[in-house]
């Protein structure tokens, strides 16, 4: 996230300023999504690796995402960092600032950060979307003086189709491949996007979906939080001689082109991401199909 903060209200000092690859609140003595270690206090918007990083002293996040953040920032398996979960809307004090988390609609436990001090209210959206999503709380507009918004897809070309239509296309692609005796390997981000697809597919099927090991732990955290997914099974539980024809497999993009893929031949590959809105991206990356499904706002929103 690249941010330029300008001084508002005449000569008043900005409440937040860029620092450590994130944003620093001098009044509160904390950083929001700091990229570089180590800071004493890190306020985290959500559990993706470009926002939640290990090496900081104390972490604060929205309670629904605490387990995701905790797992993400563990330096080692036996390292249990101090991660404090705070309920959405509950204000708490850090230094001279009052801070609260509000739903961002990006993934489970994602949050906007509201910071109040000396009569100013600033809100940092983190990553967010305004579409409905069965896996997380819906985006909540928060009144403020200054809004710092993400703009991952901040160009007019990025306008999303309704999610139901995209998931219907994914399901139809799977069924078409199955009819041809092929495996459907759909690549998507292991945290957030994968669980959203598994939840949305419940509108079409209760058939078991196979998943790469990178998804297994995250799926368990979502299910423990009460998010219903279609039945899943870890690919390696199928055995070496398993027949994958007709099955749908979800995997992270890092698995594309690796020896792990050999077991699925014959197969077709697809990628679910907002970047697939540009058809050339699908061709350049070598996928057979692309589905423009994003967990970020589009240009219109």
């Amino acid at each position: 996230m690249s941010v330029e903060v300008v001084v508002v209200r005449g000569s008043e000092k900005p409440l937040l300023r860029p620092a450590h690859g994130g944003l620093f609140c001098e009044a509160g003595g904390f950083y929001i999504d700091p990229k570089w270690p180590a800071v004493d206090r890190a306020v985290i918007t959500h559990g993706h690796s470009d926002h939640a990083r290990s090496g900081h002293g104390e972490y604060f996040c929205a309670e629904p995402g605490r387990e995701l953040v905790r797992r993400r920032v563990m330096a080692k398996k036996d390292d249990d960092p101090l991660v404090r979960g705070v309920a959405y809307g509950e204000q708490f004090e850090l230094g001279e600032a009052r801070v609260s988390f509000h739903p961002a609609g990006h993934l489970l436990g994602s949050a906007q950060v509201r910071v109040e001090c000396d009569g100013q209210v600033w809100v940092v959206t983190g990553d967010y979307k305004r579409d409905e999503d069965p896996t997380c709380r819906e985006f909540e507009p928060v009144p403020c003086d200054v809004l710092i918004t993400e703009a991952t897809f901040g160009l007019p070309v990025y306008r999303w189709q309704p999610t139901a239509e995209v998931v219907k296309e994914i399901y139809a692609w799977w069924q078409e491949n199955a009819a041809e005796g092929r495996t459907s390997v759909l690549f998507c981000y292991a945290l957030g996007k994968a669980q959203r697809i598994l939840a949305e597919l419940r509108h079409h099927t209760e058939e078991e979906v196979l998943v790469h090991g990178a998804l297994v732990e995250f799926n368990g955290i979502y299910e423990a939080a009460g998010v219903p997914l279609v039945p899943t099974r870890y690919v390696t539980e199928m055995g070496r001689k398993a027949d994958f024809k007709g099955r749908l497999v979800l995997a992270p993009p890092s698995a594309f082109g690796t020896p792990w893929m050999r077991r699925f031949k014959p197969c077709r590959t697809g990628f679910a991401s907002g970047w697939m809105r540009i058809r050339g991206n699908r061709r350049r990356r070598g996928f057979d199909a692309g589905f423009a499904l994003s967990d970020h706002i589009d240009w219109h929103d």
Side-chain angles (χ1 to χ4, degrees):
M1 176 174 65
S2 178
V3 176
E4 179 181 356
V5 177
V6 298
V7 177
V8 295
R9 293 184 176 179
S11 61
E12 286 186 2
K13 194 174 184 180
L15 190 53
L16 299 170
R17 61 177 174 82
H20 270 263
L23 294 167
F24 178 58
C25 178
E26 185 174 350
F30 64 86
Y31 295 78
I32 299 175
D33 291 351
K35 181 181 296 185
W36 307 316
V39 304
D40 292 335
R41 291 174 173 172
V43 173
I44 304 299
T45 59
H46 64 284
H48 274 150
S49 60
D50 56 337
H51 293 258
R53 298 171 184 263
S54 62
H56 305 305
E58 188 176 17
Y59 296 83
F60 297 84
C61 66
E63 177 58 36
R66 191 184 75 85
E67 186 61 16
L68 291 173
V69 171
R70 189 182 73 83
R71 299 294 180 93
R72 182 70 77 185
V73 303
M74 290 172 65
K76 302 176 183 177
K77 286 190 176 181
D78 58 352
D79 175 32
D80 197 0
L82 182 58
V83 180
R84 301 184 185 276
V86 183
Y88 284 130
E90 179 181 322
Q91 290 193 336
F92 60 101
E93 293 184 0
L94 290 178
E96 298 175 3
R98 295 185 65 81
V99 182
S100 56
F101 295 107
H102 302 266
H106 179 58
L107 52 78
L108 180 64
S110 60
Q112 304 170 80
V113 180
R114 180 186 185 275
V115 182
E116 181 177 357
C117 185
D118 293 334
Q120 290 190 65
V121 175
W122 288 41
V123 170
V124 179
T125 65
D127 291 344
Y128 71 108
K129 68 175 181 293
R130 295 173 57 192
D131 292 342
E132 292 185 7
D133 184 337
T135 69
C136 62
R137 287 274 298 273
E138 185 178 358
F139 175 83
E140 173 189 301
V142 182
C144 58
D145 299 304
V146 176
L147 179 74
I148 300 176
T149 175
E150 71 134 319
T152 304
F153 294 101
L155 291 173
V157 68
Y158 293 109
R159 293 175 183 259
W160 311 137
Q161 288 179 271
T163 301
E165 293 181 13
V166 180
V167 176
K168 184 178 180 180
E169 290 176 4
I170 291 173
Y171 181 71
W173 172 75
W174 172 17
Q175 298 308 300
E176 179 182 342
N177 293 336
E180 297 176 357
R182 299 178 183 274
T183 308
S184 301
V185 184
L186 181 64
F187 295 94
C188 54
Y189 299 121
L191 171 57
K193 184 67 58 60
Q195 293 74 38
R196 187 182 182 193
I197 291 171
L198 291 170
E200 295 284 2
L201 279 173
R202 294 179 69 250
H203 295 296
H204 300 277
T205 184
E206 280 297 324
E207 185 175 345
E208 181 180 72
V209 174
L210 304 178
V211 298
H212 185 281
L215 280 62
V216 173
E217 186 175 30
F218 294 137
N219 288 353
I221 292 174
Y222 270 69
E223 290 176 321
V227 178
L229 310 176
V230 294
T232 61
R233 184 186 298 187
Y234 187 11
V235 165
T236 57
E237 293 178 354
M238 296 289 289
R240 293 185 178 181
K241 296 183 179 180
D243 184 2
F244 295 97
K245 294 184 181 67
R247 306 298 297 270
L248 174 64
V249 181
L250 296 193
S254 59
F256 183 67
T258 67
W260 182 83
M261 289 287 296
R262 294 172 185 166
R263 70 193 77 192
F264 304 122
K265 293 181 179 179
C267 74
R268 292 199 185 279
T269 60
F271 188 33
S273 168
W275 300 113
M276 293 297 100
R277 179 66 180 80
I278 307 299
R279 292 182 180 180
N281 286 338
R282 186 196 74 192
R283 293 193 298 269
R284 283 191 291 272
R285 297 191 181 199
F287 298 110
D288 297 315
F291 303 97
L293 181 64
S294 178
D295 291 326
H296 298 258
I297 55 167
D298 64 3
W299 172 261
H300 178 74
D301 280 341

